[in-house]
Amino acid sequence: MQANHPINIEALLTHIPLFNGLAPEEINRMARSTREIHASKGDILFHKGDPCNGFHLLVYGQIKLAFTSAQGTEKVVEIIGQGQSFGEALMFMEKPYIVFAQALTDSLLLHVSKAAVFDELERDHKFGRKMLAGMSMRLHQLMSDVESYSLHSGKERIIGYLLRELSEADQDGVKVSITLPTNKGVIASRLNLTQEHFSRILHELIELGLIVVEGRKIHIPSVANLRKHEG
């Protein structure tokens, strides 16, 4: 971890959806039990089996949640983006981490202590509902992932991923482009594909004229045509 100048934790907490509606004194209480973490690309935030003493909020950057099999194969479970949180469920279960977390880019996180969260839940039941809503959304996404892995082909998974990366304005656009948030190996693992299989499917989509690949930039000549192959 790299040392940086202190940040205004209270100001950052007020802009996090989870803390919307909290009064200034409530934000101040949370801030007193929150620490900032500056992670350089490649830094490990925690390992599988480490105790979970709170949850993390990503202010900026990108974090990979993954585990490693006995054979040494890495499986990416989730790629955390700006404004997302992780670790809440394990915090409530009082279980150790079941994955490891690694920074994919230089990142700034806030770690909110379990004690502060539990104290705030005692004071404000609305806060508890917000946390439940956030965890429910994550569970829904995980169930969608399981459905995709079980029922969709590799090509359908990749097309679905590309379509989800489009902005709302580009959903029905022509000649739109997206930039992959991380390298193709990480995305392949997230989609439960080998990197070789991922690359073969990209070449197939290129040959079909559905995409043009330029490094991490993916050009889509017609969103409508790509959507026809989603399955």
Side-chain angles (χ1 to χ4, degrees):
M1 306 294 169
Q2 59 190 26
N4 291 73
H5 297 297
I7 59 174
N8 188 332
I9 291 177
E10 290 91 340
L12 288 172
L13 290 179
T14 60
H15 290 92
I16 292 170
L18 183 64
F19 296 143
N20 282 348
L22 291 186
E25 61 270 19
E26 294 170 321
I27 290 288
N28 289 336
R29 282 198 299 269
M30 298 295 290
R32 285 196 292 270
S33 297
T34 298
R35 61 186 176 91
E36 61 182 277
I37 300 173
H38 292 268
S40 299
K41 179 180 178 180
D43 281 348
I44 299 293
L45 297 173
F46 53 77
H47 294 88
K48 178 181 178 180
D50 286 350
C52 179
N53 299 314
F55 72 98
H56 291 82
L57 295 157
L58 183 58
V59 179
Y60 65 75
Q62 198 172 68
I63 302 296
K64 171 180 70 179
L65 303 182
F67 57 82
T68 305
S69 70
Q71 294 74 32
T73 304
E74 181 179 285
K75 173 65 180 79
V76 177
V77 177
E78 193 165 5
I79 300 171
I80 303 296
Q82 179 177 327
Q84 289 184 287
S85 60
F86 56 99
E88 302 96 320
L90 289 173
M91 174 188 70
F92 285 116
M93 294 169 65
E94 301 193 8
K95 298 282 189 181
Y97 289 112
I98 58 175
V99 295
F100 70 86
Q102 184 177 29
L104 294 173
T105 64
D106 292 348
S107 303
L108 171 62
L109 304 97
L110 299 179
H111 182 268
V112 184
S113 78
K114 178 169 63 178
V117 173
F118 284 14
D119 287 346
E120 203 56 47
L121 288 172
E122 290 290 332
R123 294 187 182 97
D124 184 2
H125 297 302
K126 292 180 182 178
F127 182 61
R129 287 198 294 271
K130 286 188 177 183
M131 295 207 75
L132 283 172
M135 288 188 289
S136 297
M137 288 177 63
R138 294 278 292 282
L139 177 60
H140 183 269
Q141 182 58 53
L142 287 173
M143 293 302 293
S144 296
D145 290 344
V146 171
E147 178 187 25
S148 176
Y149 301 156
S150 303
L151 303 178
H152 297 165
S153 68
K155 184 169 77 170
E156 290 169 343
R157 282 179 240 166
I158 290 177
I159 291 174
Y161 174 82
L162 294 176
L163 292 173
R164 287 194 300 274
E165 287 295 301
L166 293 175
S167 67
E168 286 189 19
D170 289 336
Q171 284 295 327
D172 298 309
V174 177
K175 294 183 179 179
V176 301
S177 299
I178 61 172
T179 300
L180 298 179
T182 185
N183 67 66
K184 295 182 181 74
V186 172
I187 295 172
S189 180
R190 177 70 181 85
L191 298 176
N192 207 33
L193 299 167
T194 65
Q195 191 165 352
E196 293 77 11
H197 192 188
F198 185 86
S199 296
R200 284 199 303 272
I201 294 171
L202 286 185
H203 285 299
E204 181 183 344
L205 296 178
I206 292 170
E207 290 173 359
L208 290 170
L210 296 173
I211 64 170
V212 176
V213 178
E214 184 183 355
R216 279 171 53 177
K217 189 174 286 292
I218 307 290
H219 305 285
I220 303 173
S222 169
V223 174
N225 285 344
L226 183 65
R227 201 180 297 280
K228 290 176 183 176
H229 290 77
E230 188 177 10

